[in-house]
Amino acid sequence: MADFYTIGKTDISDIYSRIRIRNERELFDRRRKLYTEYPELGTLDREITVTNTGVLRKIITLSPDAAEKVRTEGLEHVKELRQRFNHILQEHGYTPDTLTLTYDCPICKDEGFINGQRCTCYQKHMMELLYRQSGLSDVLALENFSTFSFDYYSDRAENEDTPSPRKVVEEYHRKAKDFATTGSPEGMSFLFYGSTGVGKTFLSNCIAKEMMDRGNSVLYLTANELCSEILQPYLMYTSFEQKEQLKPVYDLIYNAQLLVLDDLGTELTNSFTLSQLFEIINRRMIKNLSTIISTNLTLQQLRERYRERIVSRIAEHYEICHFYGGDIRSRKKKESLGQ
């Protein structure tokens, strides 16, 4: 399970620190390489530094008019030196930017904040940490559209009134892939329901990985994590430090382009969790943000466990997908054991 407190504070700072150190090291290595290959570059660089330093020292002791003359002459000399410096770089196939510090995020210059507000790149690093700590990055490497197999679903209908499990999941797979890869309408959401081991979480993982690979912000939580690890501590505890550490993750719940809420029904259900669940579903719907909810509960059990306004929102605005068939998870486990 991800450590949401650590993610909201220490780990993010460490990420940005490592990025800045890496970029500074790469600049140092580039400069050392070029100055070794073309010594005149190093000579010019030192002359530029000496000139700038000398000008500063002189103007302190001079009258305003004399200081301005020295400053102007110094700037002209530095300009000539830089032109020679850049000309040598270009002669050897380099641009002046080659010896400029680069940033992973030019917006915040790898600080994570702009004018006290979190940069857009902060969210990206936040989600990477969430996936890394939860172990989902390893899961998504195994569970994605390229590894999805229809062979585990029977092509025999259980009765005349329902299509076969394979035919049903082929249609769900088509809709999911179209949504994740071809830019389906904003705010399209899914409810995946059915018994354990029929592929609900696998297909959720397929969508999540595809959207992440395409640069979308995706937050994946179990219902229990959402309620007990984030909502309850953030909204009910009084510690300012706790709230500040959890706020980045809390904000993602309402702002990630895709929220995947797995195993709905495993959380402790009370008036607080019900009201917060409605708030999440409703606000994300208003913002045209996509949500995937998976649950082992039937539609009737959902109606009995959750308030009508929650179920009605889902029924009106979500693509309802009923998974059924044999327990694929158990079958795969037996195969791995050679049974």
Side-chain angles (χ1 to χ4, degrees), residues 132-184:
R132 194 182 310 153
Q133 287 200 7
S134 65
L136 274 171
S137 56
D138 295 332
V139 173
L140 296 186
L142 299 173
E143 299 186 0
N144 52 70
F145 283 119
S146 65
T147 61
F148 193 100
S149 174
F150 298 110
D151 294 341
Y152 289 100
Y153 295 89
S154 172
D155 57 4
R156 297 179 60 182
E158 295 180 357
N159 56 65
E160 296 180 355
D161 299 325
T162 59
S164 69
R166 177 164 182 156
K167 186 173 182 180
V168 166
V169 83
E170 285 176 343
E171 177 64 11
Y172 296 161
H173 181 276
R174 183 192 64 77
K175 290 181 178 180
K177 193 166 187 178
D178 181 61
F179 164 72
T181 62
T182 62
S184 292

Side-chain angles (χ1 to χ4, degrees), residues 35-134:
Y35 288 5
T36 300
E37 293 179 357
Y38 314 109
E40 190 178 354
L41 289 175
T43 301
L44 288 169
D45 189 19
R46 287 189 293 272
E47 190 172 348
I48 290 170
T49 301
V50 169
T51 301
N52 283 328
T53 303
V55 168
L56 289 173
R57 287 175 177 171
K58 287 180 181 179
I59 62 176
I60 294 174
T61 61
L62 298 175
S63 65
D65 290 342
E68 180 60 24
K69 183 175 183 295
V70 169
R71 189 183 73 83
T72 301
E73 291 174 350
L75 287 176
E76 283 297 320
H77 184 51
V78 168
K79 182 179 179 181
E80 292 174 1
L81 293 171
R82 289 195 185 282
Q83 287 175 342
R84 287 168 55 191
F85 186 95
N86 292 336
H87 179 71
I88 294 172
L89 282 176
Q90 290 167 352
E91 272 189 329
H92 297 286
Y94 297 97
T95 67
D97 291 341
T98 303
L99 293 178
T100 300
L101 182 63
T102 58
Y103 303 100
D104 284 20
C105 179
I107 300 173
C108 68
K109 296 184 177 178
D110 299 331
E111 294 293 336
F113 290 83
I114 308 171
N115 299 324
Q117 301 297 316
R118 291 186 184 91
C119 182
T120 53
C121 66
Y122 194 98
Q123 190 178 81
K124 174 178 176 290
H125 293 306
M126 172 74 65
M127 287 180 294
E128 288 174 352
L129 275 174
L130 285 168
Y131 276 83
R132 194 182 310 153
Q133 287 200 7
S134 65

